[in-house]
Amino acid sequence: MSEDTRSEVYAELAAVGPYGVRPGHALITMVEPHPGHEYAYNRWYEDDHYYAGAMAMPWMYAGRRWVATRDLQLLRYPEKSAIAQPVTVGCYISTYWITAGRYADHMRWTVGINKRLNRDARVYQDRTHVFTAFQDHEATVYRDGAGGPRDFHALDHPYAGLVVQVVDAASPEQRPELLQWLRSRHLPKRLAGSPAALVTIFRPTPLPLDRMSYVKQVEGVDTRLTLLWFLEADPRQCWEPTFTGLDTAVEEAGLGRVELVAPFVPTVPGTDRYVDRLR
């Protein structure tokens, strides 16, 4: 006798609630496999967890995985980072889009499925979550205006690189001012003529109290912004001048402090490419 999966409920759920294509929310998770576990971690994540622990869930409709080889890790700054200690830690990052208005629905499912995966020994333990947070979308800034892929295409379009920038406002009251400065003044100027096609801006949300114990609670919920720069070129080829001095620009504006600028390239799904270049 087959297991009852309550299939009749699916038709009811499909008929209610938002179902647009905009990335109203994101999961951004930067992880460091423990030394000696790089290959095993990579295979577990790509062969099982990317699907069972992410893409198969309701309302998580796009995902992409990125890697920082050692030479990319060495480009990161600032040296003293509130995100990663040392700043080079966290060689893999995964980014996922969640349908606008479906955060609570998705969270109910993700907490339940991760408890089940953990109980069934399908969670790889030899890794550390460096920067893992669900985030709400605040803005997207485009280099080419109405031309080119939109933000909801970003994880499917074959971008050649990603730069993750984390900025902490000087105070919760200053975060709206920081956001406005980024979207209207700073980013349009930086994007013009650069290989970066778009930047999405998110703010982190607290993780639920019944989260998995190995994922620490999110810091900087009231002050932090996370920027994802999507690049049409390898970040090594365009690091200067686009991505140098981002910390200085924020400090000079008097609106906060850059806590991380970290470049990545996309993984090649189903392969172990780059795994031998992490250390």
Side-chain angles (χ1 to χ4, degrees):
M1 185 175 179
S2 61
E3 182 180 357
D4 179 14
T5 59
R6 300 173 65 186
S7 298
E8 69 281 356
V9 180
Y10 286 83
E12 297 176 25
L13 295 176
V16 297
Y19 66 121
V21 301
R22 292 290 176 182
H25 322 273
L27 170 60
I28 303 169
T29 174
M30 188 166 72
V31 172
E32 178 75 5
H34 296 171
H37 292 265
E38 295 85 357
Y39 282 92
Y41 168 79
N42 190 53
R43 292 275 42 87
W44 164 76
Y45 200 98
E46 287 198 345
D47 295 346
D48 190 12
H49 198 63
Y50 178 83
Y51 301 103
M55 294 304 299
M57 296 192 206
W59 307 114
M60 181 171 272
Y61 68 90
R64 198 164 192 192
R65 193 162 174 252
W66 314 80
V67 61
T69 52
R70 187 61 181 171
D71 56 339
L72 289 168
Q73 296 167 30
L74 294 174
L75 292 175
R76 295 181 183 182
Y77 66 92
E79 183 179 356
K80 293 183 178 180
S81 166
I83 305 300
Q85 301 90 30
V87 72
T88 52
V89 75
C91 55
Y92 283 107
I93 195 164
S94 297
T95 51
Y96 302 96
W97 292 166
I98 299 167
T99 302
R102 290 295 191 170
Y103 176 73
D105 298 333
H106 176 78
M107 288 306 296
R108 294 288 296 273
W109 189 287
T110 193
V111 168
I113 200 67
N114 276 285
K115 286 183 177 179
R116 182 181 181 185
L117 291 169
N118 202 57
R119 184 179 66 242
D120 293 345
R122 286 175 62 182
V123 174
Y124 198 86
Q125 301 295 339
D126 290 296
R127 94 283 197 208
T128 299
H129 282 265
V130 178
F131 178 63
T132 292
F134 285 87
Q135 314 224 8
D136 287 342
H137 180 254
E138 286 283 6
T140 300
V141 182
Y142 295 97
R143 180 192 61 200
D144 303 325
R150 302 292 86 190
D151 50 14
F152 49 87
H153 300 127
L155 302 184
D156 295 307
H157 187 78
Y159 285 115
L162 174 77
V163 172
V164 179
Q165 179 185 4
V166 181
V167 188
D168 278 344
S171 67
E173 294 74 25
Q174 275 199 299
R175 185 165 67 178
E177 185 181 354
L178 171 63
L179 174 62
Q180 182 60 25
W181 175 79
L182 286 167
R183 69 192 300 182
S184 64
R185 297 180 58 189
H186 176 68
L187 292 176
K189 182 172 64 175
R190 285 274 180 165
L191 286 171
S194 81
L198 64 96
V199 180
T200 58
I201 308 175
F202 294 89
R203 58 176 174 85
T205 60
L207 288 171
L209 296 177
D210 54 353
R211 70 190 185 279
M212 295 294 97
S213 60
Y214 48 79
V215 181
K216 65 181 180 180
Q217 187 54 272
V218 177
E219 299 172 348
V221 168
D222 296 325
T223 57
R224 186 159 290 170
L225 293 173
T226 305
L227 287 69
L228 303 180
W229 301 65
F230 291 91
L231 314 183
E232 296 172 330
D234 187 304
R236 286 164 286 218
Q237 300 171 1
C238 59
W239 195 245
E240 297 183 9
T242 305
F243 296 105
T244 54
L246 292 177
D247 52 347
T248 302
V250 172
E251 289 174 10
E252 289 179 348
L255 296 173
R257 170 182 161 81
V258 168
E259 294 293 355
L260 183 68
V261 179
F264 296 84
V265 294
T267 61
V268 181
T271 76
D272 288 320
R273 188 176 299 181
Y274 305 121
V275 176
D276 59 348
R277 295 166 55 189
L278 301 178
R279 308 302 181 195

